């Protein structure tokens, strides 16, 4: 059938299973929006307050579901406003298709109104990007974009569509989505060598990351851990893969990980790194990381092997499929002495003190977990509150802790919470943020109000840029340069101005009452919690340090 480029765009979205799209209209994409009007019974378009919010919403939708998030923006500033959101998705390997409009093909390169070279700008932060030059190429390019986003190591893809391509016509032939199944083949000798390393280990540790979530390999990971009795530590991107309270779950690893996980890696004779990349927030000093251990790495991306830390052996492929092939070769084992040592370290872990007179972060998060229930999805911004959340939330299921791990994007949270809420339906979505991060994109409150999304935002308000101030305290002799913005924001009045509900709390008891009311709300709620500006995220290993440099108080 003969269709315009705009209708081909909509048809391919439907064909690819897209039912939710985040975006903001503008001149270069008017034809696309006109087509979306006619397809509104099949594609739910969510208009955000800002294109960055739309990108984060598409990202949050993808993180919560595993599907490809889709965002649409116009040319020029609309396109450039997506850049931070695309980079956030790229650093955390989140599948996303970003579609931008552009000036007509005859105007490209003439510094036309709202023209930018968006494919050049985003080339370093996408898996691939395309400029569509002819309407008869549009359908297959869009299909390729969805395939690339989900194939191998997942990530964002950008498609730039000039305006005249959206109005031109071409023959459209429907096709079924073609996301090829990945078939990981590992040489038998490599599998046997990996299994021998595991079977011979006396002090093994599993260190796993977001790749386990991406490949939905949680069951296989747990089976391996239990079969060979291997205690496990996770990165911030893998929270929830192993349930809170599982005896083999040691907790968060790295700069703000607990004493047990960091000591276990330091004393291990084998570190089995699964779906993780040895980032500088985990392997803070690469030359000293797991220096007593042999390292076996399993990852889908061959470029991650030996990139940050030299490993002794590696298996490259989809984590789920690699573990399925490896498990039959791993012998059942027990490591009683090693487990006893781990448990002795756990008894010495850092435990913050409770307070009956003020709000402490760990008590606040404990109360949230108690009241929100096991189905809650937590979305954070970036800073101290993010680390407290990673440390203290009782994670029990995958895809329920959404945070910007690699890029560390302040302002990520509200947009991502909107995307997550639209993805998970009736499950509670709790947005945890600091006053610094929240000010960056709090304008997305109008989106949550417009779409009647009952997102509960908990603001850890210490009136300063807490994480930067913590570093200034520890490493800059308390020279607090530009970390106290002296803001006078009244969050209750501001929430009401947006059409949301706001609360101000100075005790955990006040918070509990407010949170219980928020859980009954049919729209967004903000709960401001007053936190002491000298609260610290502990423990902490300084950048470039080792376990010997850990700060406990």
């Amino acid at each position: 059938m003969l269709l315009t480029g705009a209708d081909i765009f909509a048809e391919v979205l439907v064909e690819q299973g897209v039912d939710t799209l985040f975006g903001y209209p503008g001149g270069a994409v008017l034809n696309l929006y006109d087509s979306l009007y006619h397809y509104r019974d099949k594609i739910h378009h969510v208009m955000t307050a800002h294109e960055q919010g739309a990108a984060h919403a598409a990202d949050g939708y993808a993180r919560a579901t595993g599907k490809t998030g889709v965002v649409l923006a116009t040319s020029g500033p609309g396109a450039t406003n997506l850049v931070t959101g695309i980079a956030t998705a790229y650093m955390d390997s989140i599948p996303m298709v970003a579609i931008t409009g552009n000036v007509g093909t005859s105007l490209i390169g003439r510094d036309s109104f709202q023209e930018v070279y968006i494919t050049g700008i985003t080339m370093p932060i996408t898996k691939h990007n395309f400029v569509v030059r002819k309407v008869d190429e549009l359908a297959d390019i869009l299909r390729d974009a969805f395939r690339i986003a989900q194939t191998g190591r997942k990530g964002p893809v950008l498609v730039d569509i000039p305006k005249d391509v959206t109005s031109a016509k071409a023959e459209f032939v429907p096709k079924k989505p073609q996301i090829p199944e990945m078939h990981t083949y590992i040489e038998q000798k490599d599998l046997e060598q990996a299994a021998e390393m595991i079977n011979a280990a006396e002090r093994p540790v599993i260190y796993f990351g977001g790749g386990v979530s991406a490949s939905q390999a949680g069951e296989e990971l747990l089976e391996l851990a239990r079969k060979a009795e291997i205690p496990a530590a996770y990165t911030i991107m893998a929270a929830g893969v192993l349930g809170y309270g599982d005896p083999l779950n040691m907790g968060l690893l790295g700069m703000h990980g607990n004493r047990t996980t960091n000591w276990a890696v330091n004393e291990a004779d084998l570190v089995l790194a699964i779906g993780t990349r040895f980032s500088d927030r985990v392997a803070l000093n690469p030359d000293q990381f797991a220096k007593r251990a042999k390292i076996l790495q399993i990852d889908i991306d061959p470029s991650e092997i030996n990139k940050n830390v030299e490993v002794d052996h590696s298996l490259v492929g989809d984590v789920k499929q690699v573990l399925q092939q490896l498990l039959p070769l791993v012998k059942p084992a027990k490591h009683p002495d090693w487990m006893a040592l781990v448990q002795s370290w756990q008894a010495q872990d850092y435990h913050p003190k409770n307070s009956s007179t003020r709000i402490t972060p760990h008590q606040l998060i404990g109360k949230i977990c108690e009241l929100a229930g096991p189905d809650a999805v937590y979305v954070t911004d970036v800073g101290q509150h993010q680390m407290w959340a990673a440390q203290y939330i009782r994670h029990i299921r995958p895809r329920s802790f959404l945070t910007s791990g690699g890029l560390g994007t302040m302002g990520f949270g509200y947009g991502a919470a909107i995307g997550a809420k639209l993805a998970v339906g009736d499950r509670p979505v709790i947005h945890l943020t600091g006053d610094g991060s929240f000010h960056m994109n709090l304008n997305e409150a109008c989106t949550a109000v417009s779409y009647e999304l009952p997102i509960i935002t908990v603001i850890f308000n210490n009136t300063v840029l807490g994480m930067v101030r913590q570093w200034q305290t520890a490493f800059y002799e308390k020279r607090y340069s530009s970390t106290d913005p002296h803001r006078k924001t009244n969050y209750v009045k501001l929430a009401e101005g947006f059409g949301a509900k706001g609360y101000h709390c100075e005790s955990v008891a006040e918070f509990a009452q407010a949170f219980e009311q928020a859980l009954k709300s049919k729209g967004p709620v903000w709960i401001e919690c007053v936190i002491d500006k000298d609260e610290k995220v502990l423990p902490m290993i300084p950048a470039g340090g080792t376990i010997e440099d850990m700060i406990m108080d």
Side-chain angles (χ1 to χ4, degrees):
M1 50 186 161
L2 193 65
L3 298 178
T4 65
D7 284 344
I8 290 173
F9 156 80
E11 284 285 345
V12 173
L13 291 188
V14 173
E15 173 187 288
Q16 296 295 318
V18 176
D19 55 16
T20 305
L21 170 70
F22 303 89
Y24 201 97
V29 289
L30 281 177
N31 293 331
L32 299 181
Y33 272 89
D34 190 54
S35 182
L36 287 172
Y37 178 85
H38 297 292
Y39 283 77
R40 63 189 184 277
D41 60 329
K42 297 179 180 178
I43 301 172
H44 179 212
H45 179 270
V46 179
M47 180 182 169
T48 55
H50 190 281
E51 290 91 352
Q52 183 177 336
H56 292 324
D59 181 322
Y61 184 91
R63 290 179 197 245
T65 62
K67 298 178 183 178
T68 302
V70 186
V71 61
L72 171 62
T74 193
S75 62
T80 57
N81 282 343
L82 296 180
V83 169
T84 298
I86 294 171
T88 300
Y90 181 75
M91 288 291 286
D92 289 343
S93 303
I94 305 302
M96 177 194 293
V97 172
I99 298 157
T100 54
N102 213 331
V103 300
T105 51
S106 64
L107 297 175
I108 289 176
R110 300 189 179 199
D111 293 332
S112 303
F113 177 66
Q114 291 192 333
E115 178 198 357
V116 295
Y117 179 33
I118 192 61
T119 51
I121 292 169
T122 60
M123 189 173 293
I125 55 168
T126 53
K127 280 190 72 178
H128 195 76
N129 57 31
F130 300 88
V131 179
V132 184
R133 294 291 187 175
K134 298 177 181 177
V135 67
D136 55 6
E137 299 174 345
L138 176 59
D140 283 340
I141 284 176
L142 287 170
R143 290 166 180 144
D144 279 344
F146 280 90
R147 176 183 56 80
I148 293 168
Q150 284 282 1
T151 302
R153 182 174 181 172
K154 303 176 193 298
V157 179
L158 182 135
V159 181
D160 192 47
I161 311 176
K163 189 170 183 180
D164 57 326
V165 172
T166 66
S167 60
K169 291 186 176 182
E171 194 68 27
F172 174 74
V173 179
K175 294 183 180 178
K176 291 183 179 180
Q178 295 181 338
I179 305 293
E181 286 188 26
M182 182 164 184
H183 296 288
T184 296
Y185 174 75
I186 307 290
E187 293 280 353
Q188 186 66 22
K189 63 180 178 60
D190 290 328
L191 287 169
E192 290 174 354
Q193 181 178 342
E196 286 171 7
M197 293 173 72
I198 296 170
N199 295 335
E202 296 181 357
R203 303 185 308 280
V205 166
I206 292 173
Y207 144 50
F208 66 97
V212 176
S213 295
S215 68
Q216 301 182 53
E219 290 184 7
E220 288 78 7
L221 179 81
L222 183 57
E223 183 180 349
L224 174 62
R226 288 180 175 169
K227 184 176 185 179
E229 195 178 43
I230 307 176
Y234 57 82
T235 71
I236 195 170
M237 291 299 299
V241 171
L242 286 185
Y244 173 82
D246 189 297
L248 293 173
N249 183 358
M250 294 187 294
L252 185 68
L253 177 68
M255 177 176 283
H256 292 295
N258 62 49
R259 186 176 186 272
T260 296
T261 55
N262 285 293
W263 269 112
V265 167
N266 189 63
E267 297 297 323
D269 64 358
L270 174 70
V271 170
L272 177 50
I274 305 177
T276 190
R277 59 189 178 87
F278 299 95
S279 82
D280 62 321
R281 285 300 184 264
V282 172
L284 294 100
N285 186 328
D287 293 335
Q288 296 298 312
F289 183 79
K291 61 184 178 182
R292 297 173 177 83
K294 292 182 178 179
I295 300 177
L296 167 62
Q297 185 175 6
I298 299 174
D299 202 273
I300 198 169
D301 186 352
S303 71
E304 292 295 347
I305 307 300
N306 293 320
K307 186 175 83 174
N308 294 327
V309 170
E310 290 288 328
V311 303
D312 296 278
H313 186 47
S314 61
L315 302 175
V316 176
D318 177 77
V319 167
K320 188 181 188 74
Q321 295 182 23
V322 172
L323 291 180
Q324 287 172 344
Q325 295 176 49
L326 179 62
L327 271 164
L329 303 177
V330 174
K331 296 177 182 178
K334 294 291 182 183
H335 303 100
D337 293 341
W338 178 231
M339 291 303 300
L341 184 56
V342 168
Q343 289 162 9
S344 71
W345 289 328
Q346 288 174 326
Q348 302 172 54
D349 273 337
Y350 172 78
H351 297 289
K353 295 178 181 178
N354 292 340
S355 173
S356 59
T357 59
R358 60 188 176 87
I359 296 177
T360 61
H362 73 283
Q363 286 177 283
L364 177 59
I365 291 170
K367 183 59 68 174
I368 293 171
C369 293
E370 174 189 327
L371 297 175
D375 290 333
V377 175
Y378 298 92
V379 186
T380 84
D381 276 292
V382 169
Q384 286 182 310
H385 70 276
Q386 176 193 31
M387 293 297 104
W388 286 321
Q391 290 174 330
Y392 300 123
I393 287 175
R394 301 163 194 166
H395 307 286
I396 61 169
R397 58 194 290 185
R399 300 195 180 279
S400 294
F401 183 72
L402 316 183
T403 194
S404 172
L407 196 64
T409 305
M410 293 176 71
F412 166 80
Y414 217 150
I418 288 168
K421 184 60 185 173
L422 288 162
V424 301
D426 292 336
R427 293 174 63 190
V429 171
I430 316 301
H431 170 214
L432 306 177
T433 187
D435 53 300
S437 283
F438 193 46
H439 273 93
M440 289 195 168
N441 276 329
L442 60 77
N443 52 319
E444 290 304 337
C446 67
T447 308
V449 169
S450 295
Y451 291 91
E452 298 182 333
L453 301 176
I455 296 165
I456 302 174
T457 295
V458 181
I459 306 163
F460 290 62
N461 185 11
N462 58 4
T463 73
V464 295
L465 303 183
M467 186 61 85
V468 185
R469 190 177 188 276
Q470 178 171 332
W471 280 57
Q472 289 173 333
T473 301
F475 310 119
Y476 292 87
E477 298 179 342
K478 299 185 179 181
R479 293 187 293 273
Y480 299 125
S481 177
S482 299
T483 46
D484 186 347
H486 302 288
R487 290 175 179 145
K488 307 299 181 186
T489 306
N490 186 317
Y491 293 96
V492 175
K493 289 183 177 179
L494 185 57
E496 292 171 351
F498 275 113
K501 180 68 176 174
Y503 296 91
H504 173 89
C505 302
E506 297 187 14
S507 70
V508 174
E510 288 180 348
F511 171 78
Q513 291 178 351
F515 196 83
E516 286 174 340
Q517 291 300 312
L519 287 169
K520 301 173 186 175
S521 175
K522 297 186 190 237
V525 177
W526 299 2
I527 308 176
E528 176 194 10
C529 300
V530 177
I531 304 289
D532 191 286
K533 64 184 177 182
D534 289 318
E535 287 283 358
K536 302 293 189 294
V537 181
L538 295 173
M540 176 182 180
I541 301 176
T546 68
I547 185 68
E548 286 81 9
D549 303 307
M550 179 175 280
I551 300 169
M552 296 289 284
D553 56 42

